Amino acid sequence: MAKISVSTLAKKKQAGEKITSLTAYDASFAKLFADNGVDAVLVGDSLGMVLQGSDDTLAVSIEDIAYHTRCVRAGSRDLFVIADMPFMTYNTVAASCENAAKLMRAGANMVKVEGGEWLHDSIRALTQQGVPVCGHLGLTPQSVHVFGGFKIQGRDQAQAQKMIADAQALEQAGAQLLVLECIPSALAKAITDAVSIPTIGIGAGNQTDGQILVMHDLVGISAGYIPKFSKNFLAETGNMPAAVQKFCEDVKSGAFPGPDHEFN
């Protein structure tokens, strides 16, 4: 596969070509995904739940993410690797820069932060220092206690309008990618239309510029709760490479996510 960059993803949006993305935490799966058509991987703080067995993502440290970023980078030189900034590692501009540097040195191409307009100064500082940034709106797992649980966001008009404004503010600050999680499909489309940067959906319908799934959901091995927006592609295909290929094909064709995987 050709080496993927920020400009590659931007061109995909401009061309109307869907972006395919999965979470990854080690070299073996990074290579599997690179070999079977995945454009980008996220070293997510979801590792706190799927690897460490926690109830949420809050205990994940910057050292955890840096370690797994190094592992993922070792599996593929060409994949576009996004690394999560964990809980309370970007609460100030100085902390944002210090911790983002650790992830970029570990092999990330971009860092991801959760939140809206309040991140403007940190995103501006990061991009000025050469760190590409991905925003994350909607159900932001690091705010689970504020939300009162893992709940759909943006269903009332005021919240929806605030989310659109936040998306535009993140782009204006310099963000080059945006994850939209667990929001109504119509709102995801409105945000996608309101910004020029690519949007990656998870539980946000199929009108975003791309899709991401937690890899454990892709192969049906998530412990406990199975999200509505997930699909077990391994059960459908019978082997791991075929499951990844089918995910990519269905995302690109618009077949996934379907009506059963979205929120109204």
Side-chain angles (χ1 to χ4, degrees):
M1 64 181 291
K3 192 174 184 66
I4 296 172
S5 67
V6 169
S7 60
T8 307
L9 302 182
K11 288 176 182 177
K12 283 180 178 290
K13 175 173 178 126
Q14 294 163 7
E17 181 181 347
K18 297 288 188 179
I19 298 164
T20 57
S21 184
L22 292 166
T23 64
Y25 314 99
D26 64 30
S28 296
F29 278 100
K31 184 178 188 305
L32 173 71
F33 298 159
D35 290 347
N36 289 280
V38 175
D39 296 315
V41 294
L42 170 67
V43 183
D45 58 6
S46 50
L47 69 85
M49 302 173 77
V50 298
L51 298 187
Q52 297 174 342
S54 298
D55 292 333
D56 53 43
T57 66
L58 304 187
V60 176
S61 69
I62 195 72
E63 289 76 21
D64 290 335
I65 297 291
Y67 169 80
H68 287 280
T69 299
R70 285 192 293 272
C71 293
V72 166
R73 178 51 73 204
S76 172
R77 304 309 303 176
D78 297 327
L79 267 177
F80 189 79
V81 177
I82 308 163
D84 255 337
M85 296 277 280
F87 179 65
M88 293 298 286
T89 61
Y90 51 98
N91 56 319
T92 66
V93 172
S96 299
C97 292
E98 178 181 354
N99 288 310
K102 294 177 182 177
L103 301 184
M104 297 296 286
R105 291 183 184 121
N109 299 111
M110 173 179 271
V111 301
K112 183 171 75 65
V113 293
E114 298 182 5
E117 190 275 335
W118 67 271
L119 286 167
H120 182 279
D121 290 347
S122 289
I123 293 174
R124 178 64 58 85
L126 288 170
T127 55
Q128 286 176 341
Q129 296 297 319
V131 179
V133 178
C134 174
H136 185 160
L137 295 172
L139 173 54
T140 47
Q142 292 172 21
S143 299
V144 62
H145 293 304
V146 174
F147 297 149
F150 294 96
K151 299 179 179 180
I152 312 308
Q153 301 298 305
R155 276 183 160 156
D156 68 77
Q157 187 66 21
Q159 193 180 44
Q161 290 302 317
K162 176 67 164 56
M163 208 175 295
I164 294 171
D166 278 339
Q168 294 172 324
L170 293 176
E171 179 179 13
Q172 290 166 4
Q176 292 173 284
L177 197 64
L178 185 60
V179 170
L180 302 175
E181 181 170 356
C182 289
I183 63 175
S185 300
L187 175 56
K189 183 180 187 306
I191 293 172
T192 299
D193 292 343
V195 297
S196 63
I197 59 176
T199 60
I200 309 294
I202 177 167
N206 66 3
Q207 297 301 304
T208 52
D209 298 308
Q211 298 293 326
I212 184 168
L213 275 184
V214 174
M215 54 167 280
H216 294 68
D217 292 338
L218 177 89
V219 297
I221 59 172
S222 294
Y225 174 69
I226 304 298
K228 174 183 178 178
F229 53 75
S230 69
K231 180 179 178 181
N232 184 345
F233 284 88
L234 181 59
E236 181 177 346
T237 58
N239 67 75
M240 294 286 291
V244 176
Q245 292 168 18
K246 179 64 172 171
F247 166 74
C248 293
E249 290 168 5
D250 285 3
V251 169
K252 290 178 179 179
S253 71
F256 179 81
D260 293 343
H261 307 113
E262 64 182 33
F263 303 100
N264 298 314

